[in-house]
Amino acid sequence: MSDWIGKRYWIVGASEGLGRALAERLSALGIELVLSARTAGRLEELAASLPARAEVVTMDVGDTQSVRDAFAQVGEIDGMVFLAGVYWPQPAQDWNADEVEAMCDINFTGAARVLGQAVPHFVRRGHGHIVLTGSLSGFRGLPGAIGYCASKAGLMSLAESMHADLRGTGVKVQLVNPGFIRTRLTDKNEFAMPFIMDPDPAARIMVDHMMTDRFSRSFPTLFSWLFRLSQFLPEGLYYRIFAPKR
């Protein structure tokens, strides 16, 4: 779309996986990018490979001062996409306190830190575009996903509240909820992952959604219906199907 040419977007979590694939697709549309993650190496290599202008701003979303400093360096932007996340599969019986805290702190609180800088900026200016990355696992608690489900559910709820408040203000809020995407994070899973996607087709769906005025998009479509419908199941039936007693 021609009206995207010359826009400037900040991608948080751009170094690999879906973030990298999204950067490549947005750059191909003529969008200028600011790429952020904790370390510069992969970001610099990515920036050099993109067809449109891109710059690197390193940032640790787990550190408030790092986020503030990065936002000051980023400068004027038309939109931002939050994709930063960590994941360790684990049931409550194997609770790893450090890993669960990290998932909550990066996946949810990290987003809140970044939004704490971007949202007031967009609101004062009267326009902007915010895209948050939830997960199909955020619709209802799942076994073996302590920390991850909760962090994504929190992020999805945050997006809904922001959308409710900012409708009609010129600040567009969108949410994407992907299923399994083939990355170093899903490589940790030891179970079969239905409808698993490569990052590039997932990024295509994400960009297509960003070009609409719709709030949320969950995909793959057939797989997403299972999670959406699970919200309407009575508790007893839900847990018998999704988490039978061992």
Short mmCIF file of all heavy atoms in Angstrom, two decimals, residues 3-12 22-23 26-27 30-36 53-55 74 76-82 122 128-131 172 174 210-211:
data_model
loop_
_atom_site.label_atom_id
_atom_site.label_comp_id
_atom_site.label_asym_id
_atom_site.label_seq_id
_atom_site.Cartn_x
_atom_site.Cartn_y
_atom_site.Cartn_z
N ASP A 3 0.41 4.26 0.94
CA ASP A 3 0.40 5.17 2.07
C ASP A 3 1.29 4.70 3.21
O ASP A 3 1.44 5.39 4.21
CB ASP A 3 -1.03 5.41 2.57
CG ASP A 3 -1.74 4.13 2.99
OD1 ASP A 3 -1.28 3.05 2.61
OD2 ASP A 3 -2.76 4.23 3.70
N TRP A 4 1.87 3.52 3.09
CA TRP A 4 2.83 3.05 4.09
C TRP A 4 4.24 3.54 3.78
O TRP A 4 5.09 3.56 4.67
CB TRP A 4 2.83 1.51 4.13
CG TRP A 4 1.65 0.95 4.85
CD1 TRP A 4 0.34 1.05 4.49
CD2 TRP A 4 1.67 0.20 6.05
NE1 TRP A 4 -0.45 0.41 5.39
CE2 TRP A 4 0.33 -0.13 6.37
CE3 TRP A 4 2.69 -0.25 6.89
CZ2 TRP A 4 -0.01 -0.88 7.49
CZ3 TRP A 4 2.35 -1.00 8.02
CH2 TRP A 4 1.01 -1.31 8.31
N ILE A 5 4.49 3.93 2.55
CA ILE A 5 5.84 4.36 2.17
C ILE A 5 6.22 5.61 2.95
O ILE A 5 5.47 6.58 3.02
CB ILE A 5 5.91 4.63 0.65
CG1 ILE A 5 5.68 3.32 -0.12
CG2 ILE A 5 7.25 5.24 0.27
CD1 ILE A 5 5.59 3.51 -1.61
N GLY A 6 7.39 5.55 3.57
CA GLY A 6 7.87 6.68 4.34
C GLY A 6 7.45 6.69 5.79
O GLY A 6 7.94 7.52 6.57
N LYS A 7 6.55 5.78 6.20
CA LYS A 7 6.18 5.68 7.61
C LYS A 7 7.36 5.11 8.39
O LYS A 7 8.24 4.43 7.85
CB LYS A 7 4.95 4.80 7.79
CG LYS A 7 3.67 5.36 7.18
CD LYS A 7 3.17 6.55 7.99
CE LYS A 7 1.90 7.14 7.38
NZ LYS A 7 0.74 6.25 7.51
N ARG A 8 7.37 5.38 9.69
CA ARG A 8 8.47 4.94 10.55
C ARG A 8 7.90 4.11 11.70
O ARG A 8 7.11 4.61 12.50
CB ARG A 8 9.24 6.15 11.09
CG ARG A 8 10.58 5.86 11.72
CD ARG A 8 11.39 7.14 11.85
NE ARG A 8 12.74 6.88 12.32
CZ ARG A 8 13.12 6.97 13.60
NH1 ARG A 8 12.25 7.35 14.53
NH2 ARG A 8 14.36 6.71 13.96
N TYR A 9 8.32 2.85 11.77
CA TYR A 9 7.80 1.93 12.77
C TYR A 9 8.94 1.38 13.65
O TYR A 9 10.04 1.13 13.16
CB TYR A 9 7.07 0.76 12.11
CG TYR A 9 5.60 1.03 11.88
CD1 TYR A 9 5.19 2.02 11.00
CD2 TYR A 9 4.62 0.30 12.54
CE1 TYR A 9 3.84 2.29 10.79
CE2 TYR A 9 3.28 0.55 12.33
CZ TYR A 9 2.89 1.54 11.46
OH TYR A 9 1.56 1.80 11.27
N TRP A 10 8.61 1.19 14.91
CA TRP A 10 9.55 0.64 15.89
C TRP A 10 9.15 -0.81 16.17
O TRP A 10 8.04 -1.07 16.63
CB TRP A 10 9.47 1.47 17.15
CG TRP A 10 10.46 1.11 18.25
CD1 TRP A 10 11.64 0.47 18.12
CD2 TRP A 10 10.31 1.42 19.63
NE1 TRP A 10 12.27 0.36 19.34
CE2 TRP A 10 11.46 0.94 20.28
CE3 TRP A 10 9.32 2.07 20.39
CZ2 TRP A 10 11.65 1.06 21.66
CZ3 TRP A 10 9.51 2.21 21.75
CH2 TRP A 10 10.66 1.71 22.38
N ILE A 11 10.05 -1.75 15.88
CA ILE A 11 9.79 -3.16 16.14
C ILE A 11 10.60 -3.59 17.34
O ILE A 11 11.84 -3.59 17.31
CB ILE A 11 10.14 -4.04 14.92
CG1 ILE A 11 9.33 -3.59 13.70
CG2 ILE A 11 9.85 -5.50 15.23
CD1 ILE A 11 9.58 -4.43 12.47
N VAL A 12 9.91 -3.97 18.40
CA VAL A 12 10.56 -4.41 19.64
C VAL A 12 10.56 -5.94 19.66
O VAL A 12 9.51 -6.57 19.70
CB VAL A 12 9.82 -3.85 20.87
CG1 VAL A 12 10.50 -4.32 22.15
CG2 VAL A 12 9.75 -2.33 20.81
N LEU A 22 8.76 -10.09 10.19
CA LEU A 22 7.90 -8.90 10.07
C LEU A 22 8.70 -7.70 9.58
O LEU A 22 8.23 -6.93 8.74
CB LEU A 22 7.26 -8.60 11.42
CG LEU A 22 6.29 -7.42 11.42
CD1 LEU A 22 5.02 -7.76 10.64
CD2 LEU A 22 5.95 -7.00 12.85
N ALA A 23 9.91 -7.53 10.11
CA ALA A 23 10.76 -6.42 9.67
C ALA A 23 11.02 -6.51 8.17
O ALA A 23 10.98 -5.49 7.45
CB ALA A 23 12.08 -6.43 10.44
N LEU A 26 7.73 -5.47 6.30
CA LEU A 26 7.42 -4.04 6.41
C LEU A 26 8.42 -3.21 5.61
O LEU A 26 8.06 -2.23 4.96
CB LEU A 26 7.41 -3.61 7.87
CG LEU A 26 6.27 -4.16 8.74
CD1 LEU A 26 6.41 -3.66 10.18
CD2 LEU A 26 4.90 -3.78 8.19
N SER A 27 9.68 -3.60 5.65
CA SER A 27 10.70 -2.88 4.90
C SER A 27 10.43 -2.97 3.40
O SER A 27 10.63 -2.00 2.66
CB SER A 27 12.09 -3.43 5.22
OG SER A 27 13.09 -2.71 4.57
N GLY A 30 8.37 -0.30 2.02
CA GLY A 30 8.91 1.05 2.03
C GLY A 30 8.85 1.73 3.38
O GLY A 30 9.02 2.95 3.47
N ILE A 31 8.64 0.95 4.44
CA ILE A 31 8.54 1.51 5.79
C ILE A 31 9.92 1.61 6.41
O ILE A 31 10.70 0.64 6.39
CB ILE A 31 7.62 0.64 6.67
CG1 ILE A 31 6.21 0.63 6.09
CG2 ILE A 31 7.61 1.15 8.11
CD1 ILE A 31 5.27 -0.33 6.78
N GLU A 32 10.25 2.76 6.95
CA GLU A 32 11.49 2.95 7.68
C GLU A 32 11.33 2.31 9.06
O GLU A 32 10.31 2.48 9.72
CB GLU A 32 11.80 4.43 7.82
CG GLU A 32 13.08 4.74 8.57
CD GLU A 32 13.32 6.22 8.70
OE1 GLU A 32 12.82 6.99 7.86
OE2 GLU A 32 14.02 6.62 9.66
N LEU A 33 12.36 1.57 9.50
CA LEU A 33 12.24 0.80 10.73
C LEU A 33 13.29 1.19 11.76
O LEU A 33 14.41 1.55 11.43
CB LEU A 33 12.38 -0.69 10.44
CG LEU A 33 11.33 -1.33 9.52
CD1 LEU A 33 11.68 -2.78 9.25
CD2 LEU A 33 9.93 -1.20 10.11
N VAL A 34 12.87 1.09 13.02
CA VAL A 34 13.80 1.11 14.15
C VAL A 34 13.72 -0.28 14.77
O VAL A 34 12.63 -0.75 15.15
CB VAL A 34 13.42 2.17 15.19
CG1 VAL A 34 14.44 2.18 16.32
CG2 VAL A 34 13.33 3.54 14.55
N LEU A 35 14.83 -0.97 14.84
CA LEU A 35 14.88 -2.35 15.29
C LEU A 35 15.47 -2.42 16.69
O LEU A 35 16.56 -1.92 16.94
CB LEU A 35 15.73 -3.19 14.34
CG LEU A 35 15.41 -3.07 12.85
CD1 LEU A 35 16.43 -3.82 12.02
CD2 LEU A 35 14.00 -3.60 12.57
N SER A 36 14.74 -3.07 17.61
CA SER A 36 15.22 -3.17 18.99
C SER A 36 15.20 -4.60 19.50
O SER A 36 14.31 -5.39 19.17
CB SER A 36 14.36 -2.31 19.92
OG SER A 36 14.64 -0.94 19.76
N ARG A 53 15.31 2.03 4.71
CA ARG A 53 16.17 2.49 5.78
C ARG A 53 15.79 1.83 7.11
O ARG A 53 14.61 1.70 7.43
CB ARG A 53 16.07 4.01 5.91
CG ARG A 53 16.97 4.59 6.99
CD ARG A 53 16.84 6.10 7.05
NE ARG A 53 17.62 6.64 8.15
CZ ARG A 53 17.64 7.92 8.50
NH1 ARG A 53 16.91 8.80 7.81
NH2 ARG A 53 18.36 8.33 9.51
N ALA A 54 16.78 1.43 7.88
CA ALA A 54 16.55 0.83 9.19
C ALA A 54 17.70 1.20 10.12
O ALA A 54 18.85 1.26 9.68
CB ALA A 54 16.43 -0.68 9.09
N GLU A 55 17.39 1.46 11.37
CA GLU A 55 18.42 1.73 12.36
C GLU A 55 18.23 0.83 13.56
O GLU A 55 17.14 0.29 13.78
CB GLU A 55 18.42 3.19 12.77
CG GLU A 55 17.14 3.68 13.43
CD GLU A 55 17.21 5.15 13.75
OE1 GLU A 55 17.83 5.50 14.76
OE2 GLU A 55 16.63 5.95 12.98
N VAL A 74 14.91 6.61 19.93
CA VAL A 74 14.06 6.23 18.79
C VAL A 74 13.50 7.47 18.09
O VAL A 74 13.48 7.55 16.87
CB VAL A 74 12.92 5.30 19.26
CG1 VAL A 74 11.83 5.19 18.19
CG2 VAL A 74 13.47 3.92 19.59
N GLU A 76 10.74 10.26 16.70
CA GLU A 76 9.39 10.24 16.13
C GLU A 76 9.12 8.94 15.38
O GLU A 76 9.92 8.52 14.54
CB GLU A 76 9.19 11.42 15.18
CG GLU A 76 8.99 12.75 15.88
CD GLU A 76 7.67 12.81 16.64
OE1 GLU A 76 6.68 12.21 16.17
OE2 GLU A 76 7.64 13.45 17.71
N ILE A 77 7.99 8.33 15.70
CA ILE A 77 7.57 7.11 15.01
C ILE A 77 6.08 7.20 14.71
O ILE A 77 5.33 7.90 15.38
CB ILE A 77 7.84 5.84 15.85
CG1 ILE A 77 7.30 6.00 17.28
CG2 ILE A 77 9.33 5.49 15.86
CD1 ILE A 77 7.40 4.74 18.14
N ASP A 78 5.67 6.48 13.68
CA ASP A 78 4.25 6.40 13.34
C ASP A 78 3.57 5.21 13.99
O ASP A 78 2.34 5.19 14.13
CB ASP A 78 4.10 6.29 11.82
CG ASP A 78 4.62 7.53 11.11
OD1 ASP A 78 3.97 8.59 11.23
OD2 ASP A 78 5.69 7.44 10.46
N GLY A 79 4.36 4.20 14.36
CA GLY A 79 3.78 3.03 14.99
C GLY A 79 4.83 2.17 15.66
O GLY A 79 6.03 2.37 15.47
N MET A 80 4.37 1.23 16.46
CA MET A 80 5.28 0.29 17.11
C MET A 80 4.62 -1.08 17.19
O MET A 80 3.40 -1.21 17.24
CB MET A 80 5.63 0.77 18.52
CG MET A 80 4.46 0.86 19.48
SD MET A 80 4.92 0.56 21.21
CE MET A 80 5.28 -1.19 21.18
N VAL A 81 5.47 -2.10 17.13
CA VAL A 81 5.02 -3.49 17.23
C VAL A 81 5.82 -4.16 18.33
O VAL A 81 7.05 -4.13 18.31
CB VAL A 81 5.22 -4.25 15.90
CG1 VAL A 81 4.59 -5.64 16.00
CG2 VAL A 81 4.65 -3.47 14.72
N PHE A 82 5.12 -4.75 19.30
CA PHE A 82 5.80 -5.43 20.39
C PHE A 82 5.75 -6.93 20.18
O PHE A 82 4.68 -7.54 20.16
CB PHE A 82 5.15 -5.08 21.74
CG PHE A 82 5.92 -5.60 22.93
CD1 PHE A 82 6.93 -4.84 23.50
CD2 PHE A 82 5.66 -6.85 23.44
CE1 PHE A 82 7.66 -5.32 24.58
CE2 PHE A 82 6.38 -7.35 24.52
CZ PHE A 82 7.38 -6.58 25.10
N PHE A 122 1.87 9.01 21.61
CA PHE A 122 0.86 8.95 20.56
C PHE A 122 -0.39 9.74 20.94
O PHE A 122 -1.00 10.40 20.10
CB PHE A 122 0.48 7.49 20.27
CG PHE A 122 1.54 6.69 19.57
CD1 PHE A 122 1.67 5.33 19.81
CD2 PHE A 122 2.39 7.28 18.65
CE1 PHE A 122 2.63 4.57 19.16
CE2 PHE A 122 3.36 6.53 17.99
CZ PHE A 122 3.48 5.18 18.25
N GLY A 128 -1.25 7.44 15.93
CA GLY A 128 -0.23 6.42 16.15
C GLY A 128 -0.83 5.05 15.94
O GLY A 128 -2.06 4.89 15.81
N HIS A 129 0.00 4.04 15.90
CA HIS A 129 -0.42 2.67 15.62
C HIS A 129 0.36 1.74 16.56
O HIS A 129 1.59 1.73 16.55
CB HIS A 129 -0.14 2.33 14.16
CG HIS A 129 -0.66 1.01 13.71
ND1 HIS A 129 -0.34 0.46 12.49
CD2 HIS A 129 -1.49 0.11 14.32
CE1 HIS A 129 -0.95 -0.70 12.37
NE2 HIS A 129 -1.65 -0.94 13.47
N ILE A 130 -0.37 0.97 17.35
CA ILE A 130 0.24 0.06 18.32
C ILE A 130 -0.23 -1.35 18.01
O ILE A 130 -1.44 -1.61 17.91
CB ILE A 130 -0.16 0.42 19.76
CG1 ILE A 130 0.36 1.82 20.12
CG2 ILE A 130 0.37 -0.62 20.75
CD1 ILE A 130 -0.27 2.40 21.37
N VAL A 131 0.71 -2.28 17.86
CA VAL A 131 0.39 -3.68 17.58
C VAL A 131 1.05 -4.54 18.65
O VAL A 131 2.27 -4.49 18.84
CB VAL A 131 0.88 -4.12 16.19
CG1 VAL A 131 0.44 -5.55 15.89
CG2 VAL A 131 0.38 -3.17 15.10
N LYS A 172 -4.52 3.90 16.87
CA LYS A 172 -5.08 2.58 16.55
C LYS A 172 -4.33 1.51 17.33
O LYS A 172 -3.10 1.46 17.32
CB LYS A 172 -4.97 2.31 15.04
CG LYS A 172 -5.57 0.96 14.64
CD LYS A 172 -5.73 0.83 13.13
CE LYS A 172 -4.43 0.55 12.41
NZ LYS A 172 -4.64 0.18 11.00
N GLN A 174 -4.02 -2.66 17.86
CA GLN A 174 -4.34 -3.96 17.29
C GLN A 174 -3.65 -5.08 18.06
O GLN A 174 -2.61 -4.87 18.69
CB GLN A 174 -3.93 -4.01 15.81
CG GLN A 174 -4.77 -3.11 14.92
CD GLN A 174 -4.42 -3.29 13.46
OE1 GLN A 174 -3.28 -3.11 13.06
NE2 GLN A 174 -5.41 -3.66 12.64
N MET A 210 -2.49 -5.64 9.98
CA MET A 210 -2.12 -4.26 10.26
C MET A 210 -2.69 -3.28 9.25
O MET A 210 -2.88 -2.09 9.54
CB MET A 210 -0.59 -4.14 10.31
CG MET A 210 0.05 -4.81 11.52
SD MET A 210 1.86 -4.91 11.42
CE MET A 210 2.31 -3.17 11.45
N MET A 211 -2.98 -3.76 8.05
CA MET A 211 -3.53 -2.91 7.00
C MET A 211 -5.05 -2.75 7.11
O MET A 211 -5.64 -2.02 6.31
CB MET A 211 -3.17 -3.47 5.63
CG MET A 211 -1.70 -3.39 5.31
SD MET A 211 -1.36 -4.06 3.67
CE MET A 211 0.40 -3.70 3.53
#
